[in-house]
Amino acid sequence: MKNMVKLIHTLADHDDDVNCCAFSSSLLATCSLDKTIRLYSLSDFSELPHSPLKSHTYAVHCCCFSASGHILASCSTDGTTVLWDTQNGQTLAVLEQPSGSPVRVCRFSPDSTCLVSGAADGTVVLWNAQSYKLHRCASVKDGSLVACAFSPNGNFFVTGSSCGDLTVWDDKMRCLHSEKAHDLGITCCDFSSQPVSGGEQGLQFFRLASCGQDCQIKIWVISFTHTLGFELKYKSILSGHCAPVLTCAFSHDGQMLVSGSVDKSVIVYDTNTEDILHTLTQHTRYVTTCAFAPNILLLATGSMDKTVNIWQFDLETPCQESLGLRSKVLRKIEELRTKMKTLSSEIPDEFICPITRELMKDPVIASVKRHLWKLSTGRGHIAPKECWACFVCFSGQQMAIHTKRKQWKIGSAKRNVQVP
């Protein structure tokens, strides 16, 4: 797994803490306590001629692109959300929070017809992003609104407060649910763009990540339809940080989740296994923001050290292919497990451990670089060339390899496995 991700560029143009970064398909935007927003080209990370964007009179807390990337929204302590034309840097509109309270977060809906802004006084405003008119307004009971994320289908969105509440709203700004998620306050939340299919009547489930001052990252599963109603289920906690977690974001394909913390580290997780893939420690102060690019494997992380680091994931490494294959195997195993009683005699041999004759519990994938990686421990074993992309089942001190020839080979987990 080494060398899978590398630091390829560092941006150091801001004069104060970096609060947020966001990608479009061709641009990177960053904003800061220095009151500015900066735009960079993804082709060479050069700053655009019309950058920095200057309109806000106080710190800029958040920025986000519309789906097309032609419009950028930014919000500030000055109580406004500004819409910018990314092609020329011109101001399109200045949206004033009705209460005049500092605006801490802003998000476009997936189709960019609406924009949500959340403020320090707990007010949340839904704007028409085409007419720039206020559409609806509501508020949470306690705390400042500091986090917001739209579901991938745009039917609802979630806000997070400094008091720790996750609140779910439908597209008409009706409160569907509110729940205490983090005891000491929420700092960020994000939806995976890839829905999890399943359930009855074709119901779709969406994976949501939230993080907070309690040093935790929580994974939730949410489902909502107008006919069947709403359901929020807590799934798990991701460990790794030893201080408050300030930011989290899913990769575009939903396979990875990244987080940044007061402990100055950035952690990249595999969302299927929830294992830690990487811990990045380049920043020298709190990591305040992180974002994945939508169509290429780039990660941006911003910090109170005034820098933004750009990381690239190496497509030549086995991780992406292996993790995808392993997740498919795990799904198949789970499907077979539910049908064991009726199909016990018809389970394909490649899913049965030849040592114990039991359904595999912890498959490991052999990479094209001839290493077997035990994903839960990160330890590797040398695999023979003939075993590229094979399935591995561990049983005690032995492992069984299912080769491309569809033959099982059994050997010691402590030494090289020889395949005739």
Side-chain angles (χ1 to χ4, degrees), residues 22 42 82 95 99 177 182 196 216 240 261 264 293 313 315 340:
L42 293 188
V82 177
L95 311 177
S99 62
H177 182 78
H182 295 267
V196 181
Q216 295 181 339
S261 168
K264 307 175 189 177
F313 291 83
L315 289 174
M340 284 281 287

Side-chain angles (χ1 to χ4, degrees), residues 259-332:
S259 60
S261 168
V262 169
D263 64 17
K264 307 175 189 177
S265 72
V266 174
I267 296 180
V268 182
Y269 300 88
D270 170 21
T271 56
N272 294 308
T273 65
E274 300 187 351
D275 291 333
I276 294 176
L277 299 177
H278 301 284
T279 300
L280 313 175
T281 56
Q282 186 75 17
H283 287 293
T284 58
R285 295 195 65 196
Y286 301 174
V287 180
T288 54
T289 179
C290 56
F292 281 101
N295 50 7
I296 51 178
L297 279 177
L298 287 182
L299 168 67
T301 60
S303 167
M304 290 175 67
D305 62 14
K306 307 178 187 178
T307 69
V308 176
N309 286 331
I310 312 296
W311 308 84
Q312 185 176 54
F313 291 83
D314 186 359
L315 289 174
E316 297 302 319
T317 60
C319 179
Q320 297 302 315
E321 181 180 355
S322 297
L323 290 179
L325 179 57
R326 186 176 190 269
S327 65
K328 291 180 181 179
V329 175
L330 287 171
R331 286 196 297 270
K332 181 65 177 179

Side-chain angles (χ1 to χ4, degrees), residues 139-161:
S139 63
V140 295
K141 294 180 180 180
D142 301 301
S144 301
L145 278 181
V146 295
C148 180
F150 270 93
S151 65
N153 61 9
N155 287 344
F156 61 93
F157 64 93
V158 174
T159 58
S161 78

